[in-house]
Amino acid sequence: MTSSIDYTEKIPNNVDLTGDRRLQRALEGWQPKFMSWWAEMGPTLATNDVYLRTAVNVGREGWAHFDHVRVKEYRWGIFLAERESDRRIAFGEHQGEPAWQQVPGEYRADLQRLIVVQGDTEPASVEQQKLLGLSAPSLYDLRNLFQVNVEEGRHLWAMVYLLHAFFGREGREQAEDLLIRNSGSPDSPRILGAFNEQTADWLAFFMFTYFTDRDGKYQLGTLKESAFDPLSRTCEFMLKEEAHHMMVGTTGVDRVVERSAQLVREHETMDIGPHGGIPLEVIQRYLNFHYTVSLDLFGSEQSTNAANYYTAGLKGRWREERRTDDHRLADHGWRIDCITDGELAEEEVPALLALNHDLRNEYIADCETGVKRWNRILADAGIGFRLRLPHPGFNRRVGVYAGYHVTPDGQVVDEHTWERGRPHWLPTDVDLTFVASLMHPVYERGKIASWLAPPRNGINGKPFDYEYVHLS
Ligand code: BYC
């Protein structure tokens, strides 16, 4: 296996597709279906070309090539990180055994399920972002949207490769279904809740790429630990691409906060809506929404699924190899959140059952770093307002808090109090309509919309006013 990617193939790859004619034919059969899905459900805005990065190598250095390409001609392909010789399973009951190059029969259904769930999120996000190009705040942002979209498309390819290569007819059927379910569809919705929500405007896009893509980072991080080596290697390379998506989110929110702070100072009012900015309270409500629907993506705090995946070696913990325990966890107990007699409390449960909670906590700590950054921008501008993450029980539909009303401060309240507080805590129709009213496309080179600051850096050393996109 080499790390360079063969672009002379119909499907660029580094998995020696030509060596497996059946698999190659099956994937070449799926390719036109992917292309029609992209044409129908992918970005609506027509472009001549976009300054995009394409993977040319999976090694550590210089893996990406940047150029203007026609989006339709983007070379989606199959890229796995290099195989580590003698990789061993790091956790669970098979700890120490060689990693699997094939799927063991007894874990087939569970592995397939994990791959399908992961695969389902990738096209879902493209569908959610379909219309955003029509209202991009600058050519730089428009380019980033396309970059995120083509790479999510490639991540779908990554999961479809695994389904075709290792799961036979059922895998091929599942790969077809990934193109049939659609975000928000009443008949065949996407599997996980957050991927059926709308990403209606660019503030939502930045929040999504900050909070929801970050769930992707953590879930891919746990699948990278998998004993099933092809899954591990594909996730490792996906994580490399994913870093850019989170940069788009982090700096996107930075720039909105920076611009709002400027307007607050300039006009000496928090009510900056009439001056073309997004009020900080509205930013907080968007944050509350996107953070909490993303918390739901971690599943229940107590999960036998998670315990079984771990014991079997299918899905590890975040940075499994850095943990200093026995990597089996059979005799450990952990404290997790619960609600007892209507009050927030904690209970001790077997550690294996608490793995979703463990991953969620890693994620929350990471989310805090963004909030700190944004608050530094506010502090530097001499503004007293602070953004914050709401309590993990707030606005939850999955897990121990589902069915309760918990305020952002962590008070369990009755329905009436919840309904009264809701317009202060979650985006209202007025907020959404107002933010939508700011979403005018700015396609002129070097220009930017009123509601966010320009980025500090361009892409690949290019300036902000580079012609990142040529519209048709
Ligand atoms: N919505 O034991 P439980 C990304 C289901 S994002 C609907 O509590 P488990 C990306 C669950 O399936 C990362 N259903 O949870 C980001 C189960 O159903 P079954 C995506 C839900 O299984 C941005 C039942 O409830 N990757 O990459 O331990 C852009 C009980 O489940 C939800 C993954 O998620 C929900 N939110 O954990 C693009 C990794 N939560 O099986 C891409 C793969 C739970 O009883 N998936 N359910 O019918 C997994 O590891 C796990 O399936 C989950 C759930 C973490 C999602």
Side-chain angles (χ1 to χ4, degrees):
M1 171 86 41
T2 62
S3 58
S4 64
I5 293 166
D6 187 351
Y7 271 95
T8 60
E9 295 285 317
K10 198 165 169 199
I11 302 173
N13 72 91
N14 70 346
V15 293
D16 187 23
L17 261 193
T18 40
D20 187 342
R21 305 303 280 191
R22 256 176 79 121
L23 174 61
Q24 188 181 33
R25 265 203 306 275
L27 284 164
E28 284 180 3
W30 186 81
Q31 193 174 31
K33 295 176 189 160
F34 169 83
M35 292 310 295
S36 15
W37 166 80
W38 179 268
E40 194 190 336
M41 301 306 291
T44 302
L45 182 74
T47 51
N48 259 341
D49 58 32
V50 182
Y51 187 67
L52 292 176
R53 80 176 174 189
T54 309
V56 282
N57 193 293
V58 297
R60 261 175 231 293
E61 301 301 326
W63 62 275
H65 171 74
F66 287 79
D67 212 344
H68 280 99
V69 295
R70 288 178 184 278
V71 178
K72 265 200 304 214
E73 291 165 16
Y74 188 79
R75 304 300 311 278
W76 285 281
I78 301 160
F79 317 135
L80 272 61
E82 275 172 318
R83 186 162 159 187
E84 196 184 300
S85 63
D86 195 33
R87 175 170 174 255
R88 301 265 151 180
I89 301 169
F91 61 95
E93 64 187 7
H94 301 289
Q95 188 184 11
E97 295 171 18
W100 314 320
Q101 299 308 324
Q102 292 297 328
V103 176
E106 72 260 48
Y107 302 136
R108 195 180 168 84
D110 278 346
L111 267 173
Q112 186 177 306
R113 170 86 185 150
L114 284 171
I115 292 168
V116 166
V117 171
Q118 180 62 49
D120 192 70
T121 63
E122 314 290 1
S125 67
V126 175
E127 293 163 359
Q128 289 171 295
Q129 295 160 15
K130 179 179 167 61
L131 298 174
L132 289 176
L134 301 173
S135 61
S138 73
L139 288 182
Y140 162 90
D141 290 289
L142 183 58
R143 176 263 166 215
N144 284 346
L145 171 72
F146 276 102
Q147 185 71 58
V148 168
N149 288 169
V150 292
E151 284 175 355
E152 299 302 6
R154 205 204 69 69
H155 293 179
L156 170 61
W157 269 97
M159 293 301 123
V160 165
Y161 161 70
L162 295 176
L163 290 170
H164 274 226
F166 298 98
F167 295 89
R169 191 159 61 84
E170 241 181 273
R172 290 194 293 278
E173 285 168 8
Q174 292 282 359
E176 302 253 316
D177 289 350
L178 288 171
L179 298 176
I180 290 169
R181 284 187 294 273
N182 286 148
S183 177
S185 156
D187 306 324
S188 58
R190 291 296 175 185
I191 298 170
L192 300 176
F195 294 91
N196 288 304
E197 301 287 350
Q198 286 188 353
T199 310
D201 58 62
W202 279 77
L203 180 57
F205 174 64
F206 293 142
M207 292 290 177
F208 183 96
T209 40
Y210 187 80
F211 289 109
T212 309
D213 275 282
R214 194 166 305 271
D215 168 56
K217 166 180 164 186
Y218 281 82
Q219 299 293 347
L220 290 172
T222 61
L223 295 174
K224 179 172 91 78
E225 304 290 339
S226 182
F228 179 42
D229 202 44
L231 174 61
S232 164
R233 287 169 44 217
T234 202
C235 289
E236 187 173 336
F237 189 65
M238 287 161 77
L239 276 164
K240 226 176 213 188
E241 293 171 317
E242 201 65 35
H244 172 264
H245 308 186
M246 275 170 296
M247 184 285 282
V248 169
T250 310
T251 58
V253 181
D254 280 358
R255 293 160 55 212
V256 181
V257 172
E258 185 183 332
R259 179 67 182 142
S260 295
Q262 271 171 9
L263 290 169
V264 168
R265 295 295 307 219
E266 204 174 306
H267 299 281
E268 294 177 4
T269 173
M270 296 298 277
D271 185 18
I272 54 174
H275 306 291
I278 304 181
L280 295 167
E281 282 178 1
V282 176
I283 298 177
Q284 176 69 60
R285 288 197 280 275
Y286 268 65
L287 180 160
N288 287 351
F289 174 76
H290 288 274
Y291 172 61
T292 53
V293 295
S294 303
L295 287 180
D296 278 346
L297 294 172
F298 289 84
S300 306
E301 288 76 0
Q302 271 201 68
S303 164
T304 47
N305 283 348
N308 294 338
Y309 296 154
Y310 187 81
T311 303
L314 311 184
K315 185 177 173 189
R317 282 173 295 174
W318 178 248
R319 302 214 163 126
E320 183 68 45
E321 291 179 42
R322 290 200 200 166
R323 310 268 183 144
T324 52
D325 49 37
D326 67 358
H327 302 278
R328 288 177 182 245
L329 305 177
D331 309 318
H332 295 53
W334 280 342
R335 298 191 73 74
I336 65 165
D337 303 351
C338 68
I339 296 193
T340 312
D341 299 332
E343 299 280 326
L344 300 182
E346 282 194 346
E347 66 176 318
E348 173 138 339
V349 298
L352 280 172
L353 289 179
L355 287 163
N356 287 344
H357 191 268
D358 176 70
L359 188 63
R360 191 196 79 187
N361 283 352
E362 296 282 345
Y363 167 83
I364 291 177
D366 194 358
C367 289
E368 288 284 3
T369 61
V371 176
K372 269 201 194 128
R373 276 173 81 105
W374 306 326
N375 283 337
R376 210 173 312 127
I377 296 172
L378 294 174
D380 288 349
I383 292 171
F385 187 98
R386 292 290 175 267
L387 292 163
R388 65 195 178 104
L389 296 180
H391 187 277
F394 173 69
N395 190 40
R396 297 296 305 282
R397 298 212 180 127
V398 174
V400 42
Y401 299 110
Y404 290 94
H405 294 308
V406 180
T407 66
D409 290 333
Q411 303 292 318
V412 185
V413 293
D414 60 24
E415 171 98 27
H416 178 67
T417 315
W418 168 261
E419 286 304 333
R420 243 188 10 220
R422 197 191 160 96
H424 303 286
W425 302 328
L426 288 169
T428 60
D429 287 345
V430 174
D431 293 340
L432 296 170
T433 308
F434 169 69
V435 175
S437 75
L438 295 177
M439 299 292 125
H440 299 297
V442 179
Y443 296 148
E444 263 172 277
R445 196 172 159 173
K447 293 274 165 57
I448 186 130
S450 67
W451 55 273
L452 88 169
R456 292 201 189 289
N457 301 302
I459 293 296
N460 193 33
K462 301 278 185 242
F464 168 66
D465 65 1
Y466 183 65
E467 215 158 355
Y468 289 106
V469 182
H470 297 116
L471 296 168
S472 27

